[in-house]
Amino acid sequence: MTAQVDYLVVLFTATSGASGELLGSDEKELVQLVWQLVDVKNKQLGKVNELLIKPELSDLTEEKEKEVEDVVEESVEENTASGADCVSTATSLETALNLFHLQVTNEVNSTGAGTSLCLCTDGQLHIRQVIHPEAASKNILVPDCFYSFFDLRKEFKKHFPTSDLKTLNVYTMAESLSIPVDVPTMWDPSATLDPSAAMPAEVAVQQVQLMGSVALALLSEPFNHSLSNAERVNEKFESGTCSKMEKVCDNTVIRARGLPWQSSDQDIARFFRGLNIAKGGAALCLNAQGRRNGEALVRFVSEEHRDLALQRHKHHMGNRYIEVYKATGEDFLKIAGGTSNEVAVFLSREDQIIVRMRGLPFTATHEQVLAFFSPEDDLKETCPVSGGKDGILFVRYPDGRPTGDAFVLFACEEHAHCALKKHKEILGKRYIELFKSTAAEVQQVLNRYSSAPLIPVAPAPLMTMLPTMSLLPSPGGIRDCLRLRGLPYTASIEDILTFLGEFTHDIRPHGVHMVLNQQGRPSGDCFIQMTSAERALQASQRLHKHIMNSQRGANSRYVEVFPCSAEEMGLVLMGGSLSHMHSHTHTRSRSGTGLSPPPCLSPPSYSFAPVPPVLPTEAAAALYPPFGQVLLAPRPLPPGHHYYPASAQLYMNMNYTAYYPSPPGSPNTLGFYPSPSSLSSPGGLVRMPSLTYNSNGVKDIMSAMQGYQGPAESLLSSSLIGQSSAGDTPLMSLPALMAKPGGQYLDLTLL
């Protein structure tokens, strides 16, 4: 606001909780509004008005609630007890704000010296940390007068530059202006032993009277202060883009943690209502699978607003409390920054609602997406895409292949809400998932697919160089296995057998494999070995997207069922993935495996820097023939393999799996990789974790390995077993172990 105002409304608020510099930090409700009109032109003070609010849904103790009720009753009975000229009451915050606006407007109109007015407060807390946050939490519309105000401390500092805003208060300002203060009757919050203590009810009137005197002194001779550039409170959050080349100050960014999964950037802006978030400054964080992880990075317009945001630590969004911490500008740019001109043009349209489409056919076109939202048969509700083809952004890999994701723009909330009703409708032969999205999410998804991942998701390799033999499955194979995806996390083996129904009889002995993540928890995936490819295909066609119930929990989920081969199953169980890679030598379609990567998972086509061997190849071969040749001689993968690029390393870190029945059973095809006959060297290393501490060493291991035949030079000896200090990681030379079916179950990892 640059024009000179006619009236200042000096305002002071009090809550049922902390006061002073902690005002509003404890989410307590507003209980008192006191104000006084200052005639800027005539340099006169109006009457002091007091408005008392009885808290609704308050968490006050009985004693405190009775105290507030007594204050209300006493003030009504004797309106001069607190020194106010006019005392009124309200039963709710909404009624109080509307009554305040009405009384101020009537007083201005009755004076007749002008019509423009602006609020004036002692600091930022009364407007930004009290009125706006409580109104937002209760979905109350705030009158327009609360969106602009003057900070009396900042106006005072213009004439006293050496003053520190953090230590200024109405008493120090009055002292500097030689305004007499009745010290015995005044209450200084800085002198209170308990900073979280509530302020006495009669102090608010005294504060307003002193603030009016300070404002009048600044407006009069010799200062003749001119009021301009009022503080503004943003009425709504503005979405926008952020370039990775942009400089973001570390002192303006916070990290919010504990957000509800369905929250949007508008929900974040509502939580920080009263504080000004920079344009496009709310960025929801995604996990490695492209789903929101309950965190967000928020960028404010200044350090002052960032510091006020930190005071909302553990304030509530619905029934959840939100943790607020400091963050850096680099953190924000990693999430919200982008470099794509195509994305910048797509997001340059203001006031657009973004919807994310997930699960699109790889052959989907702009015309099909437009027809999906606006069908021509007029039987379904239409929701036109803003800008036509320009309002659709397909997400692609760096080589131009589609990922199955797209972002669509809509002109208004009504059209976007209509579009979200088409969630899981069919486009082509696939159902489409729809989610309300944000500009920062668009940047994150594009960044994850077009550049190296921000957080490495690949596990550390157990070996830096590949053995000379090829451990990758061939692209072909009999598809006599099933992959179940999306299991309830409480699902057990019995739940899976119940789900399969009549196909349970077609499961091979010990053929159910539950896949666990690296924390030992269910991943939601399961592999099942069937007796024939025909029965596996029939089971996938009949059971796909049927509901599975869990006996150990009340949750139930629909399960996706795909046929796959034993080689593909083995690749996943040994720590790989079935992400589809571009191939120049294989023309097999991406849908040939029936499996698809998780949405927005960083594509595994990134090359990792090779780690140099510990010993030179020549020295290792001389010291440890022939094992040095196996472990330390580098051998690149054949180019153009269907699953891994030539530059990638294979991470043979076996996933934790639970076999059915497990233990002591073991899968009948533990070695899912090529038979030992293809080995170019007589041996390899196998790790056996989880051995008991009281094992008899070589004797117990020899006993466990009975039945596995191999060449004479591979027999166990004490020189080939390395026992760690913990006694649980022996290493053995067992060339035929990984391909030999049957026998006692052992948790083995190929090194």
Side-chain angles (χ1 to χ4, degrees):
M1 181 180 295
T2 58
Q4 181 75 19
V5 298
D6 298 323
Y7 295 96
L8 276 182
V9 182
V10 179
L11 176 68
F12 189 89
T13 65
T15 68
S16 59
S19 58
E21 296 305 314
L22 295 180
L23 181 67
S25 63
D26 50 6
E27 289 188 285
K28 299 298 183 180
E29 293 181 337
L30 181 67
V31 297
Q32 190 178 22
L33 273 172
V34 183
W35 70 92
Q36 185 178 28
L37 201 65
V38 179
D39 189 339
V40 176
K41 184 179 298 185
N42 298 321
K43 309 296 187 298
Q44 294 179 354
L45 296 176
K47 60 182 179 180
V48 178
N49 301 271
E50 183 179 10
L51 178 59
L52 300 174
I53 309 167
K54 181 179 179 181
E56 53 180 28
L57 304 178
S58 177
D59 55 353
L60 296 175
T61 61
E62 294 182 0
E63 293 80 3
K64 188 63 181 177
E65 187 173 0
K66 187 175 184 303
E67 179 182 342
V68 173
E69 291 178 353
D70 293 340
V71 170
V72 173
E73 294 176 359
E74 291 175 3
S75 299
V76 173
E77 293 175 359
E78 188 177 357
N79 57 8
T80 59
S82 60
D85 300 314
C86 179
V87 178
S88 55
T89 61
T91 57
S92 66
L93 176 64
E94 184 175 16
T95 304
L97 296 180
N98 292 331
L99 184 59
F100 166 82
H101 184 256
L102 178 62
Q103 292 184 4
V104 168
T105 303
N106 291 337
E107 186 174 357
V108 169
N109 293 335
S110 63
T111 304
T115 57
S116 62
L117 61 88
C118 188
L119 303 183
C120 180
T121 60
D122 179 20
Q124 304 274 317
L125 303 181
H126 301 276
I127 300 294
R128 299 192 185 275
Q129 296 288 73
V130 176
I131 293 178
H132 280 283
E134 185 177 346
S137 65
K138 296 180 178 180
N139 294 319
I140 295 174
L141 186 62
V142 177
D144 294 339
C145 62
F146 288 100
Y147 286 97
S148 63
F149 67 99
F150 287 102
D151 186 345
L152 188 59
R153 298 182 184 183
K154 292 184 178 180
E155 302 303 318
F156 176 85
K157 187 175 174 63
K158 293 178 181 179
H159 299 280
F160 298 88
T162 59
S163 303
D164 185 5
L165 287 177
K166 295 182 179 180
T167 59
L168 270 181
N169 57 48
V170 68
Y171 304 105
T172 57
M173 288 187 287
E175 183 179 355
S176 301
L177 294 172
S178 302
I179 297 176
V181 178
D182 189 1
V183 178
T185 62
M186 283 295 177
W187 182 79
D188 187 358
S190 61
T192 305
L193 297 179
D194 184 7
S196 62
M199 184 184 63
E202 67 276 4
V203 172
V205 174
Q206 301 170 356
Q207 291 272 334
V208 167
Q209 291 172 339
L210 196 55
M211 288 169 58
S213 300
V214 171
L216 197 60
L218 292 176
L219 294 171
S220 305
E221 295 287 347
F223 302 104
N224 293 323
H225 183 67
S226 177
L227 296 171
S228 61
N229 300 322
E231 299 281 328
R232 297 292 302 176
V233 178
N234 291 343
E235 296 187 29
K236 63 178 182 178
F237 169 72
E238 295 184 59
S239 60
T241 59
C242 178
S243 172
K244 282 188 177 293
M245 306 304 295
E246 184 176 345
K247 291 184 178 180
V248 179
C249 179
D250 291 343
N251 295 329
T252 62
V253 182
I254 61 95
R255 180 184 298 273
R257 182 177 299 165
L259 299 169
W261 307 113
Q262 69 277 14
S263 60
S264 65
D265 54 354
Q266 297 295 335
D267 297 321
I268 297 173
R270 187 179 300 110
F271 176 78
F272 289 108
R273 181 68 59 82
L275 308 179
N276 294 345
I277 300 176
K279 185 176 181 179
L284 292 161
C285 301
L286 306 180
N287 59 19
Q289 286 72 41
R291 293 176 173 84
R292 295 169 185 173
N293 63 4
E295 293 190 5
L297 289 166
V298 185
R299 177 189 178 191
F300 294 92
V301 295
S302 66
E303 181 180 358
E304 179 184 28
H305 289 237
R306 192 283 308 265
D307 292 340
L308 293 177
L310 292 173
Q311 293 186 14
R312 301 194 188 183
H313 179 60
K314 291 195 174 181
H315 282 204
H316 287 77
M317 179 184 292
N319 295 326
R320 299 176 64 95
Y321 71 84
I322 309 301
E323 301 174 9
V324 182
Y325 304 99
K326 291 182 180 180
T328 65
E330 182 182 0
D331 295 336
F332 182 81
L333 288 177
K334 285 181 179 180
I335 299 300
T339 57
S340 172
N341 292 330
E342 183 183 11
V343 177
V345 173
F346 177 78
L347 297 176
S348 62
R349 303 176 181 87
E350 296 183 358
D351 300 329
Q352 301 289 327
I353 310 301
I354 307 174
V355 171
R356 179 181 178 182
M357 304 181 71
R358 194 164 63 191
L360 287 168
F362 295 126
T363 57
T365 63
H366 290 83
E367 290 76 11
Q368 289 176 320
V369 173
L370 292 174
F372 176 78
F373 289 109
S374 300
E376 298 179 356
D377 53 12
D378 294 333
L379 298 179
K380 297 181 180 179
E381 195 173 2
T382 61
C383 33
V385 176
S386 177
K389 293 183 180 180
D390 294 335
I392 303 173
L393 176 65
F394 287 103
V395 183
R396 302 180 184 276
Y397 288 114
D399 58 6
R401 292 180 298 115
T403 64
D405 278 31
F407 293 93
V408 183
L409 293 178
F410 293 94
C412 61
E413 287 282 354
E414 182 181 356
H415 288 170
H417 181 70
C418 173
L420 293 174
K421 293 180 180 179
K422 297 181 180 291
H423 181 59
K424 292 193 176 180
E425 288 191 7
I426 301 298
L427 192 157
K429 295 184 178 180
R430 303 194 62 175
Y431 72 90
I432 308 301
E433 296 178 292
L434 300 175
F435 308 95
K436 196 172 181 180
S437 187
T438 66
E441 186 172 355
V442 176
Q443 295 282 20
Q444 284 186 79
V445 174
L446 267 294
N447 290 342
R448 286 174 181 268
Y449 277 117
S450 61
S451 61
L454 303 177
I455 303 175
V457 295
L462 294 179
M463 52 187 295
T464 59
M465 295 296 176
L466 288 173
T468 56
M469 68 278 194
S470 175
L471 295 176
L472 293 174
S474 60
I478 301 176
R479 306 172 68 78
D480 57 351
C481 299
L482 291 175
R483 181 185 184 186
L484 275 62
R485 188 170 64 182
L487 301 175
Y489 292 114
T490 57
S492 62
I493 299 293
E494 291 74 15
D495 297 328
I496 296 174
L497 297 180
T498 303
F499 174 77
L500 293 174
E502 62 178 281
F503 296 101
T504 304
H505 304 290
D506 300 298
I507 302 176
R508 293 185 182 182
H510 317 309
V512 179
H513 311 274
M514 295 279 290
V515 182
L516 309 182
N517 59 25
Q518 294 186 351
Q519 287 74 39
R521 298 172 181 172
S523 65
D525 276 24
C526 173
F527 286 93
I528 299 174
Q529 294 175 277
M530 306 293 286
T531 55
S532 65
E534 291 76 13
R535 294 297 288 172
L537 180 60
Q538 293 176 12
S540 66
Q541 293 175 343
R542 190 174 304 178
L543 300 176
H544 184 56
K545 292 189 180 178
H546 281 209
I547 300 297
M548 176 184 292
N549 298 312
S550 174
Q551 298 177 358
R552 293 186 293 179
N555 58 331
S556 60
R557 300 181 63 179
Y558 76 88
V559 177
E560 297 175 290
V561 183
F562 307 101
C564 66
S565 65
E567 290 81 7
E568 294 167 345
M569 175 181 68
L571 178 62
V572 174
L573 294 181
M574 293 296 289
S577 65
L578 292 178
S579 300
H580 306 288
M581 304 305 302
H582 181 67
S583 174
H584 297 284
T585 60
H586 297 286
T587 59
R588 184 178 177 183
S589 66
R590 284 187 296 270
S591 60
T593 61
L595 304 173
S596 60
C600 197
L601 183 64
S602 300
S605 59
Y606 315 122
S607 58
F608 296 88
V611 182
V614 179
L615 294 176
T617 303
E618 297 79 4
L623 291 175
Y624 304 104
F627 295 101
Q629 300 173 4
V630 177
L631 293 178
L632 299 175
R635 178 182 176 91
L637 287 173
H641 197 278
H642 183 69
Y643 294 101
Y644 287 85
S647 60
Q649 297 181 7
L650 177 63
Y651 292 89
M652 298 305 296
N653 187 13
M654 179 180 286
N655 287 338
Y656 293 95
T657 59
Y659 303 109
Y660 165 70
S662 66
S666 64
N668 61 348
T669 55
L670 183 61
F672 300 116
Y673 294 100
S675 63
S677 59
S678 64
L679 298 178
S680 59
S681 60
L685 292 180
V686 174
R687 181 181 181 184
M688 300 174 61
S690 304
L691 287 179
T692 58
Y693 287 92
N694 57 357
S695 63
N696 294 324
V698 177
K699 183 176 180 181
D700 289 346
I701 298 173
M702 290 283 290
S703 176
M705 293 299 104
Q706 290 180 1
Y708 291 96
Q709 301 298 324
E713 60 269 20
S714 69
L715 294 179
L716 291 174
S717 66
S718 58
S719 62
L720 293 178
I721 300 177
Q723 187 83 11
S724 71
S725 59
D728 63 349
T729 55
L731 302 177
M732 299 165 290
S733 173
L734 298 174
L737 179 60
M738 297 306 293
K740 182 68 178 177
Q744 183 75 14
Y745 166 72
L746 291 171
D747 186 6
L748 304 175
T749 304
L750 177 64
L751 298 180

